Amino acid sequence: MGGSIMASTINSDTSNGLILTPDTTGEIELQSAGVTKAKITSSGLQNASGSAITSQAGQNLIINGDMAIAQRATSVTGITTGNTYRTVDRWKSDVITSGTWTQTQDTDVPLGQGFAESLKMDCTTANTSVGANDRVLLGQRFEGFNVQTLAKGTSAAKPVTLSFWVKSNKTGTYIVELFDSPNGRQISKSYTISVADTWEKKTITYEGDTSGVFPNNNSLTLLVQFWLAVGSTYTSGTLNTSWAVNDNANRAVGQVNLADSTSNYINITGVQLEVGTTATPFENLQYGQQLALCQRYYQQYGSSSTTPIGAGVWFTTTQVLGLLTFPVIMRTAPTITTTGTGWIKAYRDGSSNATGSGFFDSIANHSARFNMSGWSVAGTAGMGAYLQLIADKYIFISAEL
């Protein structure tokens, strides 16, 4: 075979085995039973439709899509209302008077897929007739720095593909939406749970949006939201399957009511959002990498035993100043809260200690200052102090969206 000719088609045929068809195009098509699955071109590896196939670090825009990190808690019961983070990091649940729920970091996962945890929403008090404005949503929020790759609001806007594993006892139609917060735009797509109590993988592609640029900063931009239960305010129109200015009536048309029975639950894991029209294998990160990504938005100190947290100095006989340095740079200067009073202990002069309370000031995205008083025993100005949290006392540091 001459040097200018190459095998442009490699077909694994079910009857004749491997078939090579040469030509001079300079491209290679990889086929299975005559159907093109991938191409090798001068631009690199592509799928059958010509989109680039990549496996680069950071391809998954979702943080903690395998539900591995749960700094706050592994289970929260009695959820009836509130839009907040409860268990698994980066996953915010929005519940408005639609039954009562338990949210859990669960160990029920699809077999052989490399996941150890899923996020479960379990209905414990039913609501068979959800009010017009009521809803249950589970979603993730993105800052602008992390979504510039979408080129949203430009003529080069890129499609994205969402893939995930899901399991529920309740079959039927479910809705997942992308919501553009700064520009008030939205797109919804449906998927079907076909078999009860069985893990199924779902893949949804959303077109690129040439309107509404995302700001390139740390503010809220994109939301990915899984609808679970919904009132008529969000279902009275026609499902909006193309990007448009938000109309609540078109956001969740056709969504089943997962709140209609105490037998109902849903488990989700392996959530990946990536640029392009093809769902690639889930991007597994090491635990430490995943934790650091989550800590940009939330950190928590404390345990059932004492926890060392830093060093300080007795500024006066009744005031200790210290420095708490965050392990990662946070999204913005965080809000810091603590559990009650008497949550910290300061050790000094080799034997003595004092219990106190206080607050944090000079808060930045990288550190904060302890400013503590109310000590049970006075100290000596200028003396150093070793600081630790008392058992079952916590510091909560949040820069969530």
Side-chain angles (χ1 to χ4, degrees):
M1 186 178 297
S4 63
I5 299 178
M6 62 185 298
S8 66
T9 301
I10 302 175
N11 177 27
S12 179
D13 187 73
T14 56
S15 300
N16 302 307
L18 191 65
I19 301 174
L20 305 180
T21 305
D23 70 8
T24 58
T25 61
E27 297 184 356
I28 299 175
E29 288 192 11
L30 305 177
Q31 297 182 349
S32 175
V35 178
T36 300
K37 300 297 183 180
K39 303 176 183 178
I40 301 174
T41 73
S42 59
S43 300
L45 187 61
Q46 298 178 348
N47 62 22
S49 62
S51 298
I53 298 175
T54 62
S55 184
Q56 59 191 32
Q59 71 188 45
N60 188 4
L61 300 177
I62 296 283
I63 296 174
N64 202 27
D66 58 0
M67 314 301 177
I69 309 298
Q71 295 183 81
R72 295 170 177 84
T74 57
S75 183
V76 173
T77 62
I79 301 169
T80 58
T81 190
N83 185 12
T84 189
Y85 296 89
R86 294 181 165 92
T87 59
V88 175
D89 279 50
R90 303 299 303 124
W91 290 97
K92 193 171 191 178
S93 49
D94 181 6
V95 179
I96 302 178
T97 322
S98 301
T100 304
W101 299 81
T102 293
Q103 184 180 112
T104 308
Q105 184 193 42
D106 200 19
T107 56
D108 185 0
V109 293
L111 183 64
Q113 299 301 317
F115 304 117
E117 289 91 11
S118 63
L119 178 54
K120 182 177 184 179
M121 291 289 288
D122 186 17
C123 182
T124 57
T125 301
N127 184 341
T128 58
S129 181
V130 177
N133 296 318
D134 298 339
R135 64 193 187 196
V136 180
L137 290 166
L138 182 65
Q140 185 157 143
R141 299 178 167 212
F142 300 79
E143 61 178 294
F145 288 137
N146 292 343
V147 292
Q148 295 306 306
T149 186
L150 305 185
K152 190 175 180 301
T154 75
S155 59
K158 300 174 183 177
V160 292
T161 296
L162 180 72
S163 57
F164 55 94
W165 286 87
V166 62
K167 175 182 177 180
S168 177
N169 67 298
K170 189 173 182 67
T171 59
T173 300
Y174 291 74
I175 306 299
V176 190
E177 71 171 347
L178 305 186
F179 196 97
D180 169 358
S181 180
N183 299 296
R185 295 176 61 78
Q186 184 269 347
I187 183 173
S188 293
K189 298 284 187 176
S190 65
Y191 68 96
T192 301
I193 293 181
S194 303
V195 183
D197 304 312
T198 302
W199 281 103
E200 300 175 312
K201 186 175 182 180
K202 306 300 178 182
T203 300
I204 304 170
T205 296
Y206 302 82
E207 66 198 53
D209 186 15
T210 57
S211 298
V213 174
F214 282 146
N216 186 29
N217 57 31
N218 63 354
S219 66
L220 174 63
T221 53
L222 180 68
L223 296 84
V224 175
Q225 301 195 120
F226 292 78
W227 290 85
L228 305 181
V230 60
S232 60
T233 294
Y234 307 97
T235 62
S236 59
T238 301
L239 190 66
N240 179 41
T241 58
S242 298
W243 280 103
V245 174
N246 177 52
D247 182 341
N248 278 341
N250 301 332
R251 290 174 66 181
V253 181
Q255 169 68 40
V256 302
N257 180 15
L258 196 67
D260 67 5
S261 170
T262 56
S263 298
N264 292 349
Y265 71 89
I266 192 168
N267 287 66
I268 299 174
T269 194
V271 186
Q272 180 153 295
L273 181 70
E274 57 193 306
V275 172
T277 58
T278 300
T280 63
F282 184 81
E283 182 185 20
N284 287 292
L285 299 181
Q286 294 184 5
Y287 186 90
Q289 294 175 293
Q290 194 87 276
L291 176 60
L293 291 173
C294 293
Q295 286 178 326
R296 177 168 171 80
Y297 304 92
Y298 181 82
Q299 300 170 23
Q300 181 172 305
Y301 295 86
S303 70
S304 58
S305 58
T306 57
T307 304
I309 55 170
V313 62
W314 286 90
F315 189 65
T316 69
T317 59
T318 59
Q319 182 185 28
V320 171
L321 300 180
L323 180 67
L324 178 63
T325 302
F326 309 142
V328 301
I329 300 297
M330 302 196 73
R331 182 184 66 86
T332 189
T335 299
I336 305 178
T337 57
T338 60
T339 47
T341 59
W343 51 272
I344 193 167
K345 184 169 285 190
Y347 288 83
R348 67 186 192 283
D349 65 30
S351 60
S352 302
N353 65 79
T355 301
S357 300
F359 59 92
F360 291 88
D361 58 16
S362 301
I363 300 173
N365 65 351
H366 54 78
S367 63
R369 185 176 74 169
F370 297 101
N371 192 334
M372 293 160 287
S373 57
W375 297 99
S376 57
V377 179
T380 301
M383 185 174 289
Y386 162 68
L387 306 174
Q388 70 176 26
L389 283 176
I390 294 173
D392 296 315
K393 299 292 186 179
Y394 293 85
I395 301 173
F396 309 104
I397 306 171
S398 178
E400 292 282 13
L401 290 161

Coordinates of all heavy atoms in Angstrom, one line a residue, residues 309-343:
I309 N -7.1 24.5 67.1 CA -7.5 25.4 66.0 C -6.5 26.5 65.8 O -6.6 27.3 64.8 CB -8.9 26.0 66.2 CG1 -9.0 26.7 67.5 CG2 -9.9 25.0 66.0 CD1 -10.2 27.5 67.6
G310 N -5.4 26.7 66.6 CA -4.5 27.7 66.4 C -3.8 28.2 67.6 O -3.8 27.6 68.7
A311 N -3.1 29.3 67.4 CA -2.4 30.0 68.5 C -2.8 31.5 68.6 O -3.3 32.0 67.6 CB -0.9 29.8 68.3
G312 N -2.6 32.0 69.8 CA -2.9 33.5 69.9 C -2.1 34.1 71.0 O -1.1 33.5 71.5
V313 N -2.5 35.2 71.5 CA -1.7 36.0 72.5 C -2.8 36.7 73.4 O -3.8 37.1 72.9 CB -0.8 37.0 71.9 CG1 -1.5 38.0 71.1 CG2 0.1 37.6 72.9
W314 N -2.4 36.7 74.7 CA -3.3 37.5 75.6 C -2.9 39.0 75.4 O -1.9 39.5 75.7 CB -3.0 37.1 77.1 CG -3.5 35.8 77.4 CD1 -2.9 34.6 77.3 CD2 -4.8 35.5 78.0 NE1 -3.7 33.6 77.8 CE2 -4.9 34.1 78.2 CE3 -5.9 36.4 78.3 CZ2 -6.1 33.5 78.7 CZ3 -7.0 35.8 78.9 CH2 -7.1 34.4 79.0
F315 N -3.9 39.6 74.7 CA -3.7 41.1 74.3 C -3.8 41.9 75.6 O -3.1 42.9 75.8 CB -4.7 41.4 73.2 CG -4.5 42.8 72.7 CD1 -3.3 43.1 71.9 CD2 -5.4 43.8 72.8 CE1 -3.1 44.4 71.4 CE2 -5.2 45.1 72.3 CZ -4.1 45.3 71.6
T316 N -4.8 41.6 76.4 CA -5.0 42.1 77.7 C -5.2 40.9 78.7 O -5.2 39.8 78.2 CB -6.2 43.1 77.8 OG1 -7.4 42.4 77.6 CG2 -6.1 44.2 76.7
T317 N -5.5 41.2 79.9 CA -5.8 40.1 80.8 C -7.1 39.4 80.6 O -7.4 38.3 81.1 CB -5.7 40.6 82.3 OG1 -6.7 41.7 82.4 CG2 -4.3 41.2 82.6
T318 N -7.9 40.1 79.8 CA -9.3 39.5 79.5 C -9.6 39.3 78.1 O -10.7 38.9 77.7 CB -10.4 40.4 80.1 OG1 -10.2 41.7 79.5 CG2 -10.2 40.6 81.6
Q319 N -8.6 39.5 77.2 CA -8.8 39.4 75.7 C -7.7 38.7 75.1 O -6.5 39.0 75.3 CB -9.0 40.8 75.1 CG -9.2 40.8 73.6 CD -9.2 42.2 73.0 OE1 -8.5 43.1 73.5 NE2 -10.0 42.4 72.0
V320 N -8.1 37.7 74.3 CA -7.1 36.9 73.5 C -7.4 37.1 72.0 O -8.5 37.1 71.5 CB -7.2 35.4 73.8 CG1 -6.3 34.6 72.8 CG2 -6.8 35.1 75.2
L321 N -6.3 37.4 71.3 CA -6.4 37.6 69.8 C -5.6 36.4 69.2 O -4.6 36.0 69.7 CB -5.8 38.9 69.4 CG -6.4 40.2 69.9 CD1 -5.7 41.4 69.4 CD2 -7.9 40.2 69.5
G322 N -6.2 35.9 68.1 CA -5.5 34.8 67.4 C -5.8 34.8 65.9 O -6.6 35.7 65.5
L323 N -5.2 33.9 65.2 CA -5.4 33.9 63.7 C -5.9 32.5 63.3 O -5.3 31.5 63.6 CB -4.1 34.2 63.0 CG -4.2 34.2 61.5 CD1 -5.0 35.4 61.0 CD2 -2.8 34.3 60.9
L324 N -7.0 32.5 62.5 CA -7.5 31.3 61.9 C -7.3 31.4 60.4 O -7.8 32.3 59.7 CB -9.0 31.1 62.2 CG -9.6 29.8 61.6 CD1 -9.0 28.6 62.1 CD2 -11.1 29.8 61.8
T325 N -6.4 30.6 59.9 CA -6.1 30.6 58.4 C -6.8 29.5 57.8 O -6.7 28.3 58.2 CB -4.5 30.4 58.2 OG1 -3.8 31.4 58.9 CG2 -4.2 30.4 56.7
F326 N -7.6 29.8 56.7 CA -8.4 28.8 56.0 C -7.5 27.9 55.1 O -6.5 28.4 54.5 CB -9.4 29.5 55.1 CG -10.3 30.5 55.9 CD1 -10.6 31.7 55.3 CD2 -10.6 30.3 57.2 CE1 -11.4 32.6 56.0 CE2 -11.4 31.2 57.9 CZ -11.8 32.4 57.3
P327 N -7.8 26.6 55.0 CA -7.0 25.7 54.2 C -7.0 26.0 52.7 O -6.1 25.7 52.0 CB -7.6 24.4 54.4 CG -9.0 24.6 54.9 CD -8.9 25.9 55.6
V328 N -8.0 26.7 52.2 CA -8.1 27.1 50.8 C -8.7 28.6 50.8 O -9.3 29.0 51.7 CB -9.0 26.2 49.9 CG1 -8.5 24.8 50.0 CG2 -10.4 26.3 50.4
I329 N -8.4 29.3 49.7 CA -9.0 30.6 49.5 C -10.5 30.4 49.2 O -10.9 29.7 48.3 CB -8.4 31.3 48.3 CG1 -6.8 31.5 48.5 CG2 -9.0 32.7 48.0 CD1 -6.5 32.4 49.7
M330 N -11.3 31.1 50.0 CA -12.7 31.0 49.9 C -13.3 31.9 48.8 O -12.6 32.9 48.4 CB -13.4 31.2 51.2 CG -12.9 30.3 52.3 SD -14.0 30.2 53.8 CE -15.4 29.3 53.2
R331 N -14.5 31.6 48.4 CA -15.1 32.4 47.3 C -15.2 33.9 47.6 O -14.9 34.7 46.7 CB -16.5 31.9 47.0 CG -17.2 32.6 45.8 CD -18.6 32.1 45.7 NE -19.5 32.5 46.8 CZ -20.1 33.7 46.9 NH1 -20.0 34.6 46.0 NH2 -20.9 33.9 48.0
T332 N -15.5 34.2 48.8 CA -15.5 35.6 49.3 C -15.3 35.6 50.8 O -15.2 34.5 51.4 CB -16.9 36.2 48.9 OG1 -16.9 37.6 49.2 CG2 -18.0 35.6 49.7
A333 N -15.2 36.7 51.4 CA -15.0 36.8 52.8 C -16.2 36.1 53.5 O -17.4 36.5 53.2 CB -14.9 38.2 53.3
P334 N -16.1 35.1 54.2 CA -17.2 34.2 54.7 C -17.9 34.8 55.9 O -17.5 35.7 56.6 CB -16.5 32.9 55.1 CG -15.2 33.4 55.6 CD -14.8 34.5 54.7
T335 N -19.1 34.2 56.1 CA -19.8 34.4 57.4 C -19.4 33.3 58.4 O -19.4 32.2 58.0 CB -21.3 34.4 57.2 OG1 -21.7 35.4 56.2 CG2 -22.1 34.5 58.5
I336 N -19.0 33.7 59.6 CA -18.5 32.8 60.6 C -19.4 32.7 61.8 O -19.7 33.8 62.4 CB -17.1 33.1 61.0 CG1 -16.2 33.2 59.8 CG2 -16.6 32.0 62.0 CD1 -14.7 33.5 60.1
T337 N -19.9 31.6 62.2 CA -20.7 31.4 63.3 C -20.2 30.3 64.2 O -19.4 29.5 63.7 CB -22.2 31.1 63.0 OG1 -22.2 29.9 62.2 CG2 -22.8 32.3 62.2
T338 N -20.6 30.3 65.5 CA -20.1 29.2 66.4 C -21.3 28.7 67.2 O -22.4 29.2 67.1 CB -19.1 29.8 67.4 OG1 -19.7 30.9 68.1 CG2 -17.9 30.3 66.7
T339 N -21.1 27.6 67.9 CA -22.2 27.0 68.7 C -22.1 27.5 70.1 O -21.3 27.2 70.9 CB -22.0 25.4 68.7 OG1 -20.6 25.1 69.0 CG2 -22.3 24.8 67.4
G340 N -23.1 28.4 70.3 CA -23.3 28.9 71.7 C -22.1 29.6 72.3 O -21.3 30.3 71.6
T341 N -22.0 29.6 73.6 CA -21.0 30.3 74.4 C -20.1 29.3 75.0 O -20.3 28.1 75.0 CB -21.6 31.1 75.5 OG1 -22.4 30.3 76.4 CG2 -22.5 32.2 74.9
G342 N -18.9 29.8 75.5 CA -18.0 28.9 76.1 C -17.5 27.8 75.2 O -17.3 26.6 75.6
W343 N -17.1 28.2 74.0 CA -16.8 27.2 73.0 C -15.3 27.0 72.8 O -14.9 26.1 72.1 CB -17.4 27.5 71.7 CG -17.2 28.9 71.2 CD1 -18.0 30.0 71.5 CD2 -16.2 29.4 70.3 NE1 -17.5 31.1 70.9 CE2 -16.4 30.8 70.2 CE3 -15.1 28.8 69.7 CZ2 -15.5 31.6 69.4 CZ3 -14.2 29.6 69.0 CH2 -14.4 30.9 68.8

